[in-house]
Amino acid sequence: MIFEDLKPKVKQLLNNKDLTVTERLESVCQLLKDSIDYYDWVGFYFKNGDKDELKLRAYVGEETDHIIIPFGKGICGQVAVSNQNFVVPDVHAQDNYIACSLTVKSEIVIPLFKNGENIGQIDIDSETSDPFTEKDERFLEFVNQEVAKIL
């Protein structure tokens, strides 16, 4: 399934008011993991109140111990500070990478903005080396824009 086909499905899941916001985020994580074969772990982290840390809110994939990530630590923590997309073709080449699983080979993290403020991010781990393209970035930016509308 290509990204354009997923966009209306993402909107539909996020607009389902019968579910809580967290349940809607989980359903989007599941859709992405099920639809894109190199998306092996999909999660949303959000700023944890007034603290300089991220807190995992919704995810699909292998369990993780990384529920809280301090700003600046790991790829997610770096994105919280830089406000920039971060594509990692080879996690083993990154000094500041937090290993979640030995099988993860690459990662993409896209910040999520609401009213111009970086309030969170979508994080995707892949067991495939260097699978992420600019099309992934644009699609995940779209997902985050849609998520921001329900927060």
Side-chain angles (χ1 to χ4, degrees), residues 49-92:
D50 291 335
K51 300 175 185 170
D52 285 342
E53 65 185 24
L54 297 164
K55 184 173 184 181
L56 185 60
R57 181 162 177 183
Y59 75 96
V60 173
E62 193 175 311
E63 276 194 49
T64 180
D65 293 333
H66 303 111
I67 306 301
I68 302 290
I69 298 176
F71 282 12
K73 187 163 172 56
I75 308 307
C76 291
Q78 286 177 246
V79 169
V81 174
S82 74
N83 300 321
Q84 301 291 317
N85 295 353
F86 201 151
V87 179
V88 184
D90 177 6
V91 296
H92 303 294

Side-chain angles (χ1 to χ4, degrees), residues 34-45:
D34 290 348
S35 303
I36 303 170
D37 59 1
Y38 54 92
Y39 284 19
D40 296 302
W41 190 95
V42 180
F44 286 96
Y45 284 92

Side-chain angles (χ1 to χ4, degrees), residues 117-142:
E117 181 185 353
N118 182 349
I119 61 163
Q121 55 200 231
I122 189 168
D123 176 22
I124 299 175
D125 291 343
S126 180
E127 296 175 4
T128 303
S129 293
D130 197 11
F132 303 113
T133 68
E134 188 175 326
K135 289 180 182 177
D136 291 278
E137 287 188 73
R138 299 296 83 81
F139 172 68
L140 295 171
E141 288 167 354
F142 162 82

